[in-house]
């Protein structure tokens, strides 16, 4: 019951309180469903879903990386002031935005702990009282695609080209693109996550470097993650959520010669969710009429230096 309440909280509180910080407002899954779903008299609410994105600075560089030691409550922000849009600790900070996985986005973490990952989550159906339905399922079909635009702005000058030519993904230079790699399924354990990652492949496009509006230099690249397996959550009374990490392990920029801003913008390019429920309940999204998300839940986060 507590997690069911958290679904509704996550789908409303963040979209209201933080919507102004996104370049494109987050759209909840419930507002993107087919019109037929709203007209049904069903015994459960729509399955929850959300997308969240995190950027971070650690010793020596900035970028994206889930292993930066961030375990903050409420979301994956660390040493970050949302009112000013600036860090409160110049050496180590993270800024997360979006609709975070209820409870935790770490399969080994306690409720309320969040690591600096970027990902997509979905939940099994609930009844009218907001209780999860034991035995119900929600499956993210194989082929789901998530796109993240990575942007770094640095001061123009002799050192700008060095900084922008040494951007790495998993310690390999991004350079001319052509980078790709696998992501594996991350099994759940202690909390309400059935699993914390879905098997798939990420690819990085060739980046561009262009002059910025303020005389600076802007690095822009795109990382696409596509799932290669059906990811089924079966509600067992304890585990209600599935989650897909949508970025490779690390995207890293050196900061020795200065930087102005780092931005991540992620979106659900396409995703299909199919549900089942035990007898006595109406299935909201059977295979014949699944929930289809297309170019939605776009979420942006950013970090800036002190």
């Amino acid at each position: 019951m507590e997690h069911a309440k958290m679904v509704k909280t996550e789908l409303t509180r963040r979209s209201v309180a933080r919507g102004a910080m996104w370049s494109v407002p987050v759209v909840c899954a419930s507002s993107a469903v087919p019109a037929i779903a709203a007209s049904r008299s069903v015994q459960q609410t729509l399955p929850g879903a959300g997308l969240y994105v995190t950027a971070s600075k650690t010793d020596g560089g900035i970028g994206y990386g889930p292993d930066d030691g961030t375990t903050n409550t409420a979301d994956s922000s660390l040493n970050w002031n949302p009112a000013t849009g600036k860090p409160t600790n110049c050496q180590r900070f993270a800024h997360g935005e979006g609709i975070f996985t209820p409870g935790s986005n770490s399969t080994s973490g306690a409720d309320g702990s969040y690591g600096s990952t970027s990902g997509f989550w979905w939940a099994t159906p609930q009844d009218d009282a907001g209780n999860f339905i034991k035995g119900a399922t929600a499956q993210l079909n194989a082929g789901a695609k998530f796109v993240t635009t990575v942007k770094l702005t640095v001061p123009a000058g002799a050192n700008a080209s060095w900084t922008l030519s040494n951007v790495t993904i998993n310690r390999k230079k991004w350079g001319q693109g052509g980078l790709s790699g696998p992501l594996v399924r991350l099994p759940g354990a202690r909390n309400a996550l059935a699993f914390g990652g879905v098997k798939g492949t990420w690819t990085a496009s060739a980046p561009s470097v262009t002059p910025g509006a303020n005389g600076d230099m802007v690095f822009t690249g795109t990382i696409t993650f596509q799932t290669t397996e059906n990811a089924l959550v079966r509600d067992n009374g304890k585990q209600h959520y599935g989650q897909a990490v949508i970025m490779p392990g690390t995207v890293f920029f050196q900061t020795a010669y200065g930087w102005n801003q780092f931005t991540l913008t992620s979106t659900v390019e396409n995703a299909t969710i199919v549900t089942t429920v035990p007898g006595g309940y109406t299935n909201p999204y059977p295979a014949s009429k699944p929930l289809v998300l297309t170019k939605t839940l776009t979420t942006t986060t950013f970090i800036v230096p002190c």
Side-chain angles (χ1 to χ4, degrees), residues 97-124:
E97 285 293 341
I99 308 172
F100 285 77
T101 312
S104 175
N105 67 356
S106 169
T107 56
S108 60
D111 279 354
S113 64
Y114 286 83
S116 291
T117 54
S118 295
F120 172 79
W121 64 270
W122 66 101
T124 56

Side-chain angles (χ1 to χ4, degrees), residues 117-170:
T117 54
S118 295
F120 172 79
W121 64 270
W122 66 101
T124 56
Q126 303 164 46
D127 61 23
D128 285 339
N131 298 309
F132 284 102
I133 303 170
K134 189 173 182 179
T137 68
Q139 176 175 284
L140 178 68
N141 286 355
K145 183 183 291 186
F146 308 89
V147 178
T148 299
T149 299
V150 179
K151 184 175 290 188
L152 173 69
T153 304
V154 301
N159 297 315
S161 60
W162 183 90
T163 300
L164 299 182
S165 64
N166 282 279
V167 179
T168 62
I169 300 178
N170 293 351

